[in-house]
Amino acid sequence: MNLRATIRFIVKCLLSLIAGLLGILLFTAIWFLMPVQIGRESAYFNIDEKINIPRFMTIRLEGKLYEEIGIDFIGYLIKYKWHRKETFPWKKSFFSVQKELQKKWLEEWDFTDQGISLGAVGDIMWIRTDWERFLTEEVRYSLEQFDFLTGNLETNIDFNLPSIPRFLPDSMFFNSPQSYLKSFRKLPNDQVENVSKRSMFSVLSFANNHMYDFGETSAVETSSFLQKEGIGVSGFTAPGAEDTVKIIDIQGVRIGFVAVTYGYNNIHFTPKITKPNLIKGLAPSRFAFAEEEFDFSLLRKALSQMEDSSVDFKVVSVHWGFENESYPADLTIWAGREIAKMGADVVLGSHPHLIQPSEICMSRGDPLLSKLNSKEDRDSILQLGCFWDENSKKKNRSLIIYSLGNFTSNIWSWEARVGMISKLKIFKNVDGRIQWAPQEAELIFNEVSWWENRHRLVKLETFLRENCNESTADCREISKVKQEIESLQIVEKR
């Protein structure tokens, strides 16, 4: 066989191999796009409904070992781009009524009164570029108005490690430069003398599946950097480190904060010098719901510590649920209600990367129920809602925000680039009693241009006004995402 024939033979083999691989990928993609019927997820909600959704929407990798994932990874990539927006009709209807209930709560309050302003944002993720310049003045101004601001930091900040190469469109392991978090300083060049007031963020959650992307040393380095920036951090404890519960006094109101997670990406990894804030059971390796899997002991201890420390307002950040889904699973709803019943005033969800609806937990005699317009709506809440037990010491309402979505993100979908700034107002009466209420949220947008190597964090309304005078396909898609979020959350309309 001469050289030319050998080359032809090798090329044919390579082309056949490539064609075979492409055929397998095409077949697998088609298989994941085929519809399947699913029924109720658990016995917690005893509603027997069935829906048909594409197979890829059923893929959930949380809690699975890498070797267990297999071909599901292809389905996950499709879900990463197209998401699961569908859910059971009863769940859509229930959260629609919950949104109306929250509107009635807002109508009870005159927010011009003095009080403490609390803000919460979602996942602060790796953004590839423009670390020092991504934050626009209008978003900065919104963040500066809060007395207390929190979010979920889903990237390591370790100058001892190289940053993720910016030519990558995304990554599974995150490390970002220190300038990223320094962008949130109130004043440049360390002009704030009090370090504890240097950053717009009061405290951040570092309890998430990326906390150990580069091991424990990097996680400790990240925590140390945040504390130098004057930002409290909750996610794990280490020898000599601060307690995982953070308590901040603002104008005489003591706010407690603790962050917990379902786990971290490398399930085989065993921490040796740190103890992560894990809640066993938040991400089961199977589709079924099982209450007996849960271990809330760490969270009970943290909330008890807040109570012993005379905390007025308890905030729990939970990294839970399933990625790329617009509605919480039964598992997540049950867990959120249990956390509220333990004493949390606000439960802040993260991890799905999409904005999900919220829910109020309250007593059955709460006058807010009577403000719903229809008996059908009231019955829906009474039948399916979250209520305190008769012997519960908790009387005030609690709010569960199942997912705040992404705050800063480079993910390849419009839904994952729209985030929200959630707002609460807290009042302390002369008799020492705490009253509070949610406010309308602001929607923000990650404007990403790979060709121009640019990333800007802007208000969504600003982006639509400046870029969508003409009805392009992208603008129509982004406007559709905005409408979908407005059906889930109460947002500002200007």
Side-chain angles (χ1 to χ4, degrees):
M1 183 180 290
N2 59 31
L3 179 61
R4 182 174 297 179
T6 301
I7 292 174
R8 279 202 303 268
F9 176 75
I10 293 172
V11 169
K12 284 181 179 180
C13 289
L14 288 175
L15 290 175
S16 297
L17 179 62
I18 292 171
L21 290 174
L22 289 175
I24 292 171
L25 287 174
L26 180 61
F27 175 80
T28 305
I30 292 173
W31 187 76
F32 276 115
L33 290 171
M34 292 177 65
V36 294
Q37 186 178 82
I38 61 171
R40 65 184 183 186
E41 296 180 1
S42 72
Y44 181 63
F45 292 107
N46 192 22
I47 301 174
D48 192 16
E49 286 186 344
K50 293 180 173 62
I51 57 173
N52 293 310
I53 58 176
R55 192 183 303 274
F56 73 84
M57 292 187 182
T58 67
I59 302 300
R60 292 170 170 174
L61 302 185
E62 288 82 358
K64 288 189 176 181
L65 300 171
Y66 287 136
E67 55 266 30
E68 293 177 333
I69 295 172
I71 199 171
D72 281 352
F73 186 69
I74 296 175
Y76 173 80
L77 290 178
I78 301 173
K79 185 182 178 187
Y80 173 88
K81 173 60 180 175
W82 300 109
H83 312 304
R84 175 176 171 175
K85 300 179 184 180
E86 293 303 315
T87 190
F88 300 97
W90 73 262
K91 194 173 284 189
K92 273 189 177 181
S93 175
F94 171 74
F95 280 115
S96 177
V97 178
Q98 274 288 338
K99 182 187 169 188
E100 291 303 310
L101 197 64
Q102 291 166 52
K103 283 183 180 179
K104 302 299 181 185
W105 191 358
L106 267 67
E107 292 169 2
E108 290 182 344
W109 293 94
D110 177 6
F111 290 110
T112 59
D113 291 344
Q114 293 297 314
I116 294 172
S117 180
L118 185 150
V121 300
D123 297 336
I124 303 166
M125 303 185 70
W126 179 81
I127 60 171
R128 195 172 70 93
T129 189
D130 271 349
W131 308 101
E132 301 90 354
R133 300 185 299 274
F134 73 94
L135 190 62
T136 58
E137 286 303 314
E138 61 174 1
V139 176
R140 168 179 286 277
Y141 177 80
S142 291
L143 299 179
E144 287 176 337
Q145 306 311 302
F146 295 109
D147 300 300
F148 178 99
L149 179 64
T150 186
N152 171 57
L153 180 63
E154 203 152 2
T155 174
N156 283 254
I157 308 289
D158 185 356
F159 73 93
N160 295 310
L161 293 171
S163 295
I164 307 302
R166 71 182 187 183
F167 62 80
L168 293 176
D170 203 349
S171 175
M172 292 180 66
F173 305 95
F174 300 126
N175 183 49
S176 303
Q178 293 182 350
S179 56
Y180 188 24
L181 265 292
K182 288 180 180 179
S183 297
F184 294 102
R185 286 182 174 180
K186 293 179 180 177
L187 290 172
N189 304 321
D190 295 335
Q191 292 178 24
V192 178
E193 295 182 5
N194 188 340
V195 174
S196 67
K197 297 182 179 180
R198 174 183 288 172
S199 176
M200 289 180 274
F201 283 106
S202 309
V203 61
L204 287 173
S205 163
F206 193 49
N208 56 64
N209 55 310
H210 289 284
M211 62 193 294
Y212 291 129
D213 273 3
F214 298 95
E216 290 180 281
T217 302
S218 182
V220 171
E221 180 65 33
T222 300
S223 177
S224 175
F225 167 73
L226 292 176
Q227 291 173 48
K228 290 175 183 177
E229 282 295 294
I231 305 171
V233 56
S234 177
F236 62 84
T237 53
E242 294 183 21
D243 197 280
T244 194
V245 172
K246 306 303 169 190
I247 300 175
I248 300 174
D249 192 301
I250 302 174
Q251 300 174 28
V253 175
R254 291 171 64 78
I255 300 175
F257 180 91
V258 64
V260 296
T261 180
Y262 75 85
Y264 33 85
N265 285 346
N266 187 357
I267 298 176
H268 292 301
F269 175 73
T270 302
K272 295 179 180 179
I273 62 173
T274 61
K275 184 178 180 181
N277 295 352
L278 296 183
I279 300 296
K280 181 184 176 184
L282 277 178
S285 58
R286 59 183 182 277
F287 193 72
F289 168 90
E291 295 180 21
E292 67 274 8
E293 291 187 351
F294 283 81
D295 180 3
F296 286 117
S297 56
L298 183 148
L299 200 48
R300 291 185 192 279
K301 180 180 177 182
L303 289 167
S304 177
Q305 181 181 338
M306 291 185 198
E307 192 70 28
D308 294 341
S309 301
S310 301
V311 165
D312 297 303
F313 194 79
K314 304 178 185 71
V315 181
V316 176
S317 175
V318 191
H319 207 68
W320 61 4
F322 301 99
E323 287 185 316
N324 306 308
E325 299 190 11
S326 294
Y327 286 88
D330 291 5
L331 170 86
T332 309
I333 296 172
W334 178 84
R337 292 177 176 185
E338 288 298 302
I339 294 170
K341 291 174 182 178
M342 289 178 211
D345 293 296
V346 172
V347 180
L348 303 173
S350 59
H351 180 63
H353 300 308
L354 306 182
I355 294 171
Q356 292 183 348
S358 304
E359 179 179 15
I360 302 172
C361 291
M362 56 189 171
S363 64
R364 288 189 177 273
D366 195 308
L368 192 62
L369 275 171
S370 63
K371 296 182 180 180
L372 288 172
N373 295 326
S374 74
K375 182 179 182 301
E376 184 181 357
D377 287 351
R378 291 192 294 273
D379 289 345
S380 172
I381 298 297
L382 287 169
Q383 179 188 357
L384 302 172
C386 174
F387 295 99
W388 310 135
D389 299 329
E390 290 183 3
N391 57 352
S392 174
K393 296 180 181 179
K394 189 163 177 56
K395 303 300 179 185
N396 290 343
R397 299 164 190 160
S398 290
L399 182 68
I400 307 169
I401 304 175
Y402 284 104
S403 175
L404 288 155
N406 290 334
F407 182 57
T408 50
S409 170
N410 201 51
I411 290 180
W412 302 351
S413 72
W414 302 126
E415 292 88 346
R417 291 190 190 168
V418 178
M420 74 175 182
I421 304 173
S422 185
K423 304 178 183 180
L424 308 173
K425 199 79 168 182
I426 307 172
F427 305 87
K428 192 168 188 176
N429 297 335
V430 291
D431 60 1
R433 290 189 303 113
I434 293 294
Q435 291 182 296
W436 67 281
Q439 295 179 272
E440 294 177 334
E442 282 187 67
L443 295 183
I444 51 92
F445 181 72
N446 287 265
E447 184 182 358
V448 180
S449 173
W450 293 333
W451 305 114
E452 298 176 15
N453 198 32
R454 183 166 61 97
H455 193 123
R456 286 200 318 153
L457 189 66
V458 301
K459 290 188 178 182
L460 180 58
E461 289 292 347
T462 299
F463 176 83
L464 292 173
R465 184 176 63 250
E466 293 180 352
N467 299 276
C468 292
N469 291 326
E470 298 181 6
S471 182
T472 63
D474 285 350
C475 286
R476 287 194 297 271
E477 283 295 316
I478 297 170
S479 296
K480 183 180 177 182
V481 170
K482 176 175 177 286
Q483 291 172 3
E484 290 170 351
I485 293 172
E486 288 174 346
S487 72
L488 302 173
Q489 290 285 348
I490 302 171
V491 301
E492 292 182 356
K493 295 183 179 179
R494 295 179 179 177

